[in-house]
Amino acid sequence: MKVNLLALISAAILLWPGRVHAQVNIYMSGAASVKDVIYRTLTNYYGANLTSKNLDNASKPGSANRLTFAGQMNALFGNQTVNVFISYSGSGPAIQSLTQNTPVTFFASATQGVTNLISAPVDVGFSIVFQKDYPYPTPVLSDYTYGATPTLFVKSPLAPANLTNFTSQQLRLISANGSAPQSVFNGNPADTNVLYWIMRDIGAATRIISAKEAGYTGTQLAYAYSTNSSSWVLDSVGQPTWPLIVNMLTNNYGPCMSFITPPDGGSIQPQNFLRFNGFFPFNGTFSTATNDYSPVINGQYTCWGYEHVMTKPNPPTDISTFV
């Protein structure tokens, strides 16, 4: 009796348990502006089958910047284990990774507290600007627009109490100089104290959105507080993470202001949110759980960006299924 070796090998592959229970690995990165939404969405997809998760901010999961999940998404992948690696490096680095295969750093393990890292190119990117807003034009990415997110403007506790509104003209002025006399903002000519502008680096799409909304196209300047010298120093590049900005906005380092993302708004006292051109992006008091964004929807608040999910052209089946 002759045996068809190829048929036996094929049958063995089909019956091999590793094939039936193959793991799905998905690497995600992008805008921190959507990290609270992404966290809720992913935990809903896993449901009761989320077996473990590792967050760098376990006390505020929706604000975590680096996190890894493991479990099953039965509706999408049946009984396969799905590992999702997330690092919110900013819209720019995510788009760069999708177009140039540059690596992003993730938690290697889904076990809480394990800080070993791995690096990999991004499979799914989140952005609040378009690909054309960064210098990575090719290949043209698959781009799915699904919502909108506002940019929030806030001030520090030591900023003038009567600073409640921020205009496009004031944004152009302080972006060009990195600081401005407080009299520009409170209308008191005798107030010569300085108000400092804090800025994220160019990887943050929020920086691009705020500058475009104000019609500012020049070099952007800012300041950052140095705890080493206990003084404000010029920062022409911008800060690499949102926690650094929130730290300066919530401590009594001096009068300052900046833009932040909605997930970081929970660290700001209600009285320190600023109207932009006369409007808040939300009605009532800001909430980390849910907000009435009618001013954005109705066109009163204009500093916002579309939310995008991006992948490489013709992604693998697992990625297209997930997206």
Side-chain angles (χ1 to χ4, degrees):
M1 176 180 177
K2 292 184 178 180
V3 178
N4 187 324
L5 183 60
L6 181 59
L8 284 177
I9 294 174
S10 298
I13 291 175
L14 289 172
L15 294 174
W16 179 49
R19 176 182 174 89
V20 177
H21 300 288
Q23 295 191 7
V24 176
N25 294 324
I26 301 173
Y27 297 89
M28 301 166 53
S29 185
S33 302
V34 298
K35 56 188 176 182
D36 54 342
V37 177
I38 300 305
Y39 180 82
R40 290 196 298 270
T41 301
L42 285 175
T43 52
N44 285 339
Y45 269 125
Y46 281 111
N49 295 315
L50 177 61
T51 55
S52 60
K53 57 184 178 180
N54 187 10
L55 298 81
D56 65 359
N57 189 347
S59 62
K60 294 182 178 179
S63 297
N65 289 293
R66 184 177 283 149
L67 53 164
T68 296
F69 294 105
Q72 296 176 352
M73 297 182 182
N74 297 142
L76 296 178
F77 300 107
N79 293 328
Q80 295 180 95
T81 296
V82 181
N83 303 307
V84 178
F85 305 84
I86 310 172
S87 179
Y88 291 102
S89 59
S91 297
I95 293 173
Q96 182 182 20
S97 182
L98 286 169
T99 55
Q100 300 180 359
N101 285 320
T102 52
V104 172
T105 304
F106 304 89
F107 278 153
S109 170
T111 301
Q112 181 60 43
V114 177
T115 58
N116 295 343
L117 301 176
I118 57 171
S119 294
V122 172
D123 296 313
V124 181
F126 295 98
S127 177
I128 55 171
V129 293
F130 290 87
Q131 180 180 359
K132 66 182 180 181
D133 290 310
Y134 284 99
Y136 315 117
T138 56
V140 176
L141 302 174
S142 297
D143 185 347
Y144 308 89
T145 304
Y146 67 94
T149 189
T151 296
L152 309 179
F153 293 98
V154 299
K155 65 179 182 179
S156 69
L158 295 181
N162 59 355
L163 168 56
T164 58
N165 183 54
F166 189 44
T167 68
S168 295
Q169 184 178 10
Q170 291 168 337
L171 179 53
R172 291 193 296 270
L173 173 68
I174 203 166
S175 292
N177 297 279
S179 65
Q182 292 185 16
S183 58
V184 171
F185 303 93
N186 62 17
N188 178 8
D191 190 349
T192 58
N193 292 317
V194 174
L195 185 69
Y196 294 101
W197 177 244
I198 310 170
M199 181 175 64
R200 260 299 304 268
D201 59 19
I202 196 61
T206 313
R207 171 173 163 175
I208 294 175
I209 290 172
S210 58
K212 285 192 171 187
E213 178 60 28
Y216 184 74
T217 59
T219 300
Q220 298 183 61
L221 296 177
Y223 278 79
Y225 188 78
S226 170
T227 55
N228 293 329
S229 62
S230 299
S231 64
W232 290 91
V233 296
L234 189 65
D235 179 15
S236 60
V237 176
Q239 297 296 294
T241 68
W242 289 111
L244 292 172
I245 288 182
V246 170
N247 180 58
M248 286 185 275
L249 287 168
T250 53
N251 279 285
N252 293 323
Y253 294 147
C256 61
M257 60 189 299
S258 187
F259 48 77
I260 61 170
T261 70
D264 295 298
S267 301
I268 306 299
Q269 293 298 314
Q271 67 272 18
N272 292 331
F273 284 91
L274 298 175
R275 293 177 176 85
F276 182 66
N277 291 330
F279 294 96
F280 289 121
F282 49 84
N283 287 326
T285 302
F286 180 82
S287 167
T288 55
T290 183
N291 288 287
D292 177 2
Y293 283 121
S294 294
V296 176
I297 297 169
N298 297 331
Q300 296 170 314
Y301 191 85
T302 56
C303 194
W304 56 270
Y306 285 111
E307 297 171 353
H308 305 255
V309 179
M310 297 181 179
T311 69
K312 297 175 182 178
N314 304 311
T317 301
D318 286 346
I319 302 304
S320 61
T321 297
F322 177 75
V323 171

